Amino acid sequence: EAGVVQSPRYKIIEKKQPVAFWCNPISGHNTLYWYRQNLGQGPELLIRYENEEAVDDSQLPKDRFSAERLKGVDSTLKIQPAELGDSAVYLCASSFGWWETQYFGPGTRLLVL
Amino acid sequence: EDKVVQSPLSLVVHEGDTVTLNCSYEVTNFRSLLWYKQEKKAPTFLFMLTSSGIEKKSGRLSSILDKKELFSILNITATQTGDSAIYLCAVETRSGGSNYKLTFGKGTLLTVNP
């Protein structure tokens, strides 16, 4: 069974540039999560989707971050413009339902210079 | 099947009390144990523990992991009403390659009364 797929794996950009991450969840998983993980810390939830609906985006910095999951399957997370403090690993996870076991993709490591 | 069990499921205390929340686990390919505090919406990350016996501390909260006995505790001293929340324990395991998963316990509902 294919796991959660993310791309790109690595991204280096200059500050003020836009960047986008893509995620394809495990087939059949209705719930999709985007997390940000800083060095030495656990994942922090940015947004959670139930199918195509964003049901929890309370920790998404909405001034510069946006996300979409138009057909309830794959999803994109965008940052525009990026800041130095956005350097982190961005993880996508999926599960059958809310707070059931979440399966993580390999993440996208972002470095903002 | 990986399991994460939290106890108690709920707890009611008075302001100023000290509480200890428990999390035990049975998993394959343990990577780390995480504690989260969930109030109204998204859980807020508290601690990540990877090594036994090393206490992590943040203000009135502290946590420690015992990888031999497969459990962790979260302590909150001098509790305040603002500590009322659901406390979630999650265990991160590696499932091969660069893939891993996060298994959550059901949480402990802490209510701190004035």
Side-chain angles (χ1 to χ4, degrees), chain A residues 42-43 56 59 91 99 102 104 106, chain B residues 36 42-43 45 100-102 104:
Chain A
D56 188 346
Q59 296 197 70
L91 296 161
W99 295 127
Q102 299 176 32
F104 282 74
Chain B
Y36 290 85
F45 169 76
Y100 65 98
K101 67 178 185 181
L102 202 59
F104 283 84

Side-chain angles (χ1 to χ4, degrees), chain B residues 1 42 70-71 78 91 96 104 111:
Chain B
E1 183 186 345
L70 307 182
F71 76 92
V91 174
F104 283 84
T111 304

Side-chain angles (χ1 to χ4, degrees), chain A residues 4 9 35 37 40-45 55-56 58-59 91 98-106, chain B residues 2 31 34 36 38 41-45 47-48 56 88 92 95 98-105:
Chain A
V4 176
R9 292 294 307 276
Y35 288 88
Q37 185 170 20
Q41 298 197 6
E44 295 188 272
L45 183 68
V55 295
D56 188 346
S58 56
Q59 296 197 70
L91 296 161
W98 187 82
W99 295 127
E100 294 201 28
T101 299
Q102 299 176 32
Y103 295 84
F104 282 74
Chain B
D2 295 335
R31 192 166 181 258
L34 304 135
Y36 290 85
Q38 182 172 20
K41 286 205 168 181
T44 304
F45 169 76
F47 298 111
M48 180 171 74
K56 293 235 174 160
L88 292 165
E92 183 186 355
S95 56
S98 58
N99 295 319
Y100 65 98
K101 67 178 185 181
L102 202 59
T103 304
F104 283 84

Side-chain angles (χ1 to χ4, degrees), chain A residues 4 6 21 23 33-37 42-44 46 77 88-93 104-108, chain B residues 92 98 100:
Chain A
V4 176
Q6 288 187 249
F21 314 125
C23 172
Y33 312 78
W34 281 104
Y35 288 88
R36 176 169 57 191
Q37 185 170 20
E44 295 188 272
L46 294 174
L77 177 69
V89 176
Y90 290 83
L91 296 161
C92 178
F104 282 74
T108 297
Chain B
E92 183 186 355
S98 58
Y100 65 98

Side-chain angles (χ1 to χ4, degrees), chain A residues 29-90:
Chain A
H29 281 191
N30 297 320
T31 308
L32 183 146
Y33 312 78
W34 281 104
Y35 288 88
R36 176 169 57 191
Q37 185 170 20
N38 293 308
L39 193 65
Q41 298 197 6
E44 295 188 272
L45 183 68
L46 294 174
I47 189 168
R48 172 170 64 94
Y49 282 93
E50 295 290 344
N51 299 304
E52 66 274 10
E53 184 182 359
V55 295
D56 188 346
D57 62 357
S58 56
Q59 296 197 70
L60 188 73
K62 296 182 183 63
D63 56 336
R64 299 181 299 107
F65 285 65
S66 64
E68 60 182 16
R69 193 185 184 198
L70 293 175
K71 295 182 180 179
V73 182
D74 53 343
S75 174
T76 55
L77 177 69
K78 297 178 183 177
I79 309 174
Q80 182 170 12
E83 297 179 353
L84 295 176
D86 295 332
S87 295
V89 176
Y90 290 83

Side-chain angles (χ1 to χ4, degrees), chain A residues 16-31:
Chain A
K16 300 184 183 179
Q17 294 298 307
V19 64
F21 314 125
W22 177 80
C23 172
N24 187 259
I26 292 172
S27 177
H29 281 191
N30 297 320
T31 308

